[in-house]
Amino acid sequence: MLLYLLGMLGTAVFAMTGVLAIRRQGVDVFGALVLGVVTALGGGTVRDLILDVPIFWLLDFNYVWVAGGAALVTFFLARPLHRNRQLLLYLDGFGAALFGVLAAGKVLALGHGPAVAVMLGVWTSIGGGIARDVLASRTNLLMSPEIYATPILLGCSVFVLLHGVLAPVPLGIACVLLTFGLRTAAIYWHWHMPRHLSTHRKTHSGDDSAH
């Protein structure tokens, strides 16, 4: 039950940050609704299509209601919410960490290999944001120097490597905390990829591209 509620919270936060990321582009209420839902559900949808399993929000339509409701609330309360954008970024980081590890566990439970589990764990966390940026004609988060996907990759990799060695629940909690801790540090200290590992020549702290 707790994981379910946390998943719903993560869905809502993804939708909210998705709308805030495109608010300056003059999007209307319908566009905000669509982009918020895509941000929240896009990664998991593609994951389930790849795995050839029932799409999660078709099994529980509450995910759509939560994502849509959060997107609409954010559209109408964009200004006060944007003042708390830093808090939303932290919550977004927790949601990404949770979704990545849960997705990796789901892939392993279906009998797929470690590499597939890591790949789809990362995709579940960042796929919706990439889809949103493509639809909104924005620079997507993979093109930003901000450290966003790397903590998710690390957390999912540790989870997969130690899966079957340690108890799954403590391992999952530890990997979520690891991922979230790294993402929190990246937000707080404005960490970016080292220059020799990036083609970017300038850093842009506070970039909206990392939803």
Side-chain angles (χ1 to χ4, degrees):
M1 183 63 179
L2 177 59
L3 284 178
Y4 180 76
L5 292 176
L6 289 174
M8 286 296 178
L9 175 62
T11 299
V13 171
F14 271 21
M16 293 170 74
T17 54
V19 173
L20 289 176
I22 48 85
R23 63 184 288 269
R24 295 176 182 174
Q25 296 184 230
V27 67
D28 61 22
V29 63
F30 181 73
L33 174 63
V34 171
L35 291 173
V37 171
V38 166
T39 305
L41 307 181
T45 299
V46 174
R47 175 204 63 213
D48 289 346
L49 288 172
I50 292 173
L51 293 172
D52 195 24
V53 297
I55 297 173
F56 70 102
W57 53 264
L58 289 179
L59 298 176
D60 185 353
F61 207 73
N62 286 328
Y63 284 101
V64 178
W65 293 124
V66 168
L72 290 175
V73 167
T74 305
F75 178 82
F76 290 109
L77 298 178
R79 287 189 177 181
L81 285 172
H82 197 268
R83 287 196 292 268
N84 295 309
R85 178 177 174 273
Q86 198 76 356
L87 173 61
L88 287 175
L89 284 177
Y90 289 124
L91 290 174
D92 175 87
F94 178 76
L98 178 68
F99 284 7
V101 172
L102 287 177
K106 177 177 182 176
V107 175
L108 290 175
L110 291 171
H112 296 283
V116 176
V118 172
M119 180 180 71
L120 291 181
V122 173
W123 175 258
T124 300
S125 295
I126 71 172
I130 292 174
R132 173 206 65 208
D133 293 339
V134 170
L135 290 173
S137 299
R138 302 174 71 248
T139 300
N140 68 68
L141 58 90
L142 290 181
M143 300 299 290
S144 168
E146 185 170 351
I147 294 178
Y148 185 84
T150 304
I152 304 168
L153 174 62
L154 180 60
C156 289
S157 297
V158 172
F159 178 80
V160 167
L161 287 172
L162 297 180
H163 189 267
V165 177
L166 301 178
V169 174
L171 175 61
I173 293 173
C175 290
V176 168
L177 292 177
L178 170 65
T179 305
F180 179 54
L182 291 173
R183 177 58 184 150
T184 296
I187 295 169
Y188 187 81
W189 284 296
H190 305 293
W191 286 353
H192 294 78
M193 273 292 181
R195 187 165 295 182
H196 66 279
L197 295 177
S198 172
T199 59
H200 293 274
R201 290 293 174 262
K202 296 180 180 179
T203 59
H204 305 277
S205 61
D207 192 343
D208 281 342
S209 61
H211 62 83

